[in-house]
Amino acid sequence: MDGAISVWMDVGQLDDIPRLGSRVVTTPAIDIALFRTADDRVFALHDRCPHKAGRLSQGIVHSESVTCPLHNWVIGLADGQAKEPDEGCARTVPVRLEDRRILLAVGGA
Amino acid sequence: MNMIAPRRSRLILVGNGMAGVRALEEILSRAPHEFSITVFGAEPHGNYNRIMLSPVLAGEKTFEAITTHPRSWYEENGIELITGEQVVGIDRVAKTVTGELGTTRPYDMLLLATGSNPVIIPVPGHKLSGVIGFRDIADVDTMLAASKSGKHAVVIGGGLLGLEAANGLARNGMDTTVLHLMPTLMERQLDPVSAELLKADLGSRGIKVITEANTKAILGDERVEGVELADGTRLAADIVVMAAGIRPNIALAKECGLACGRGVRVDDGMLTSDPAIYAVGECVEHRGAVFGLVAPLYEMAKIVADRVTQTADSDYVPAVTGTRLKVTGIDMFSAGDFMGDENTDDVVFRDAARGVHKKLVIRDEKLIGAVLYGEARDSAWYFDLIRNGTDISALRDTLVFGPAAGTGGEALGVEALPDTAEICGCNGVSKGTILTAISKFKLATVDQVRSRTKASASCGSCTCQVESLLAHALGGDYDATPKVKAVCKCTTVGHDTVRKAILAQKLKTIPAVMQAMGWTTPDGCASCRPALNYYLLCAWPGEYVDDSRSRFVNERMHANIQKDGTHSVVPRMWGGVTTSAELRAIADVVDRHQIPTVKVTGGQRIDLLGVRKEQLPEVWRDLNAAGMVSGHAYGKALRTVKTCVGSEWCRFGTQDSTGMGIALEKMTWGSWTPHKTKMAVSGCPRNCAEATIKDFGVIATESGWDLYVGGNGGIKVRVTDLLAKVTTEDEVLEYAAAFMQVYREEAWYLERTAPWVERVGIDYVRARLSDASGRKLLQGRFVEDQRYAQADPWAERAAGTDAHEFRALATVE
Ligand code: SRM
Ligand SMILES: Cc1cc2nc3c(=O)[nH]c(=O)nc-3n(C[C@H](O)[C@H](O)[C@H](O)COP(=O)(O)OP(=O)(O)OC[C@H]3O[C@@H](n4cnc5c(N)ncnc54)[C@H](O)[C@@H]3O)c2cc1C
Ligand code: SF4
Ligand code: FES
């Protein structure tokens, strides 16, 4: 999707993701993990931990972070940054909510 | 007019290792704002506890766990950290240092702490790839990689480092040989008798030792393939570790013209021949001596800090050091002059059967050296006698029996030591210092003592003594005030407090607990949420609704996640018994779903590996159809009940251990526990089911069953304690249920039965279960709980529960 023009794609509704939970949107290039916080905000990251590619969608979500299931790195949902003392970054994907519908930026034509 | 702020003095540390960083800590504690500090380190990390590389290699600790100063520490202290760049030049006239990548920084004061390098013996082939020293984490990574791809390891050098390397390589499954030039191992620390015991102990761990081995050449084309000895012997080798000594790293100091001998020469104030340059650590030479253990280096760090901050004109005074080998399960200590001469007397104690040997060397009624092998718990006491030059004439008769001798009572531990006795050898912390800190800062846990005094913060071998000191200092309070280990960083309250509050205040949801107990985060973290979820589930069976969002992925998916994101599926195989129909059904499932790997587990059942998330419900449905249910191989739950063939078939079997195991598994499956729980039943004391390293182990006897608890294989092996001897199968079930329930109700989350039994004491557990009515009550609660717990999670999910877990939300083409 790199470099391509993004379009907003409707991928589902807010309640499809449990609070403090995650769902995955698959794309030809990579899986994207969507997260829902306790206060109903939604974030999207590439579903690959910067450490050893653990699936962040399978982690435990807390506040604005997710803990990777493989070795417990804590990744910020908003910026994809690993929290101290770890270093690394998961790619973020723009996502927004419109009337409880989830719109995800995906590479267009 | 411009205000001219006084410029802070610029301090540069070259060498981001144990001595240098300790010196910075000491400097910051005396004068936090005096210097603007830059650190150059050739290694690419913050600072770590180099001593602990051995446990990392042996798989007992992770690199994260031994990191003492992460990057954040440097940031918090305003220190500029330049890693991965070796300093290659010091310009003493311009007062600048320059790194290999060209980074240059000016200094007012320079501190060299470049450590030492392993000696690589220049035999032919020493430059082949696969020939390494044992000094830093990169070496450990190389050894771990070699253990994955190769089979044979050779370690050259049978001293402390070599043996710790050999132990680690062997623990990683390598066929390991130690080559030692001298006739006995660790000849600088051990007398020949202990050295022989050590050799035998290593042999029993599968480590071969060849003494008087003169390495002639290392063989191989590009990579090492073998080692040849002077007598013609050839050994295969995929890796060769040279642990033949260390040499102070003085290249940089020499190049800029500082006075050097074997090391960088320093005076008593750690100053080099240049008045602006100090040096500490293994790179120095002080009064002709060089160093190889941390205790003296930490002492140097204090001296240098006193000097550069001008706090005191203290001088470094060499002291006796003691050595311990960090090989789990081998207890040894050595200090001072342990060989003796014509003017000394030896006192020797030997109990060959127990593998214990103690040798004390006495001159002029003073203890001047000691070697303790096989039992070193009195080492601090002896070490103190040596260091203080105490007159031991009054003690001489019983000296070899330790401080407890002659008192006629219980073995005396740390209480018997004088306040000056050193408890932590690495950090030079005395008993008095620890006791003062405990009372002054009201310390209640080992962690608190560690961060306040540094006692037990380096090699960790004195942790037990620190614990005893705490117990002794707090007296009755120690047990009454349990060590408050906070559940996690979101709170200060401990597990017991939370568990009590859940019951007393009738807290029934995770947010309710967090609110009542003042959690500092809105929805906890990945440590506390699973703990609270379990505590609530245990407290309110049938009522609390499990929160799958607070379950670790394996428990949420009811399958173990693998490193590639696929899952493994382990169906229950009751007591390890199966049938042709079950095996056929498993075979069909494997074919139908094209499951790549089928493996027999260490728990007597079959693992299907490499199942994709979306396949899971289908795989489970097919297994369910053949009557198989989840084996909970992923859960903090009842895992397996291993059995042996027992009286049904075995010529030695005294009871039907297989049937007993199946009955236990039928009763306990599905139960959630603080950590995983494993059982085993053996049909006779030959114990083929390994019941004595299980959480609950049963061994059949002629007259009934012996019940054992608190065993653990895994990382830290612990043998069970005997709980009770019973005669009927019903009693076995009753005790098992009651034991599980006390553990479920009282242990901390992620505490297995072994550490739990150690924490509360086996006597407590026996007492809770010895009274018949109490036992029945516990059993009742367990059985009640199982009414809700024994629902096969696979069947539920195959029928549609949590379907969203297994499906993508959307697919973008
Ligand atoms: C599959 C199996 C290895 C095998 O192929 O044989 C296995 C696999 C894992 N073990 Fe194990 N252990 C397996 C038997 C054992 C045994 C042997 C036994 O049970 O008799 C032990 C030592 C006995 C003991 O527990 O005391 C064992 C001690 C551990 C430990 C160390 C526990 C400890 O207290 O020190 C861990 C780490 C942990 O739990 O934190 C662990 C963790 C793991 C994990 C869950 C690692 C992880 O977090 O992913 C592995 C999951 C792999 C997977 O996806 O299936 N495994 N593990 C065995 C499954 C048995 C079963 O049928 O359920
Ligand atoms: C496996 C192992 C086990 C051990 N076990 C024990 C034990 O049980 N008890 C005990 O007391 N001691 C033990 N030791 C010894 C102990 O670790 C050392 O005494 C201690 O680390 C020395 O500290 P140091 O700061 O002098 O050197 P180091 O800790 O080695 O630090 C020196 C640092 O300087 C860096 N450096 C060197 N030159 C440059 C340069 N030109 N520019 C930038 N950086 C540079 C190096 O990369 C290194 O990181 C053990 C050592 C090892 C390797
Ligand atoms: S299965 Fe167990 S022993 Fe094997 S690699 Fe995994 S955790 Fe280690
Ligand atoms: S892969 Fe995420 S922490 Fe290791």
Side-chain angles (χ1 to χ4, degrees), chain A residues 49 51-54 56 68 70-73:
Chain A
C49 176
H51 179 218
K52 291 196 175 165
L56 298 174
C68 177
L70 289 198
H71 317 94
N72 291 332
W73 281 29

Side-chain angles (χ1 to χ4, degrees), chain A residues 9 11-12 16-28 34 38 52 55 57-63 67-70 72 84-87 102 106, chain B residues 64 70-72 75 521-526 529-530 547 549-553 556-557 561-565 567 613 803-805 807-813:
Chain A
M9 176 170 158
V11 290
D16 290 337
I17 313 178
R19 278 204 179 122
L20 296 176
S22 169
R23 294 292 300 276
V24 172
V25 172
T26 59
T27 79
L34 272 64
K52 291 196 175 165
R55 288 191 166 262
S57 58
Q58 315 266 18
I60 291 183
V61 180
H62 44 97
S63 302
T67 297
C68 177
L70 289 198
N72 291 332
E84 286 275 359
D86 302 313
E87 286 172 32
I102 305 167
V106 294
Chain B
E64 290 74 54
R71 284 175 190 276
S72 53
E75 272 163 33
T521 48
D523 33 48
C525 70
R529 287 235 307 274
D547 176 27
R549 298 291 126 210
S550 298
R551 290 266 189 187
F552 177 65
V553 55
R556 182 159 15 96
M557 305 294 292
I561 197 165
Q562 305 292 313
K563 64 179 193 177
D564 63 355
H567 298 265
K613 182 169 78 170
H804 62 87
E805 291 286 358
R807 270 205 319 262
L809 173 63
T811 300
V812 178
E813 300 298 337

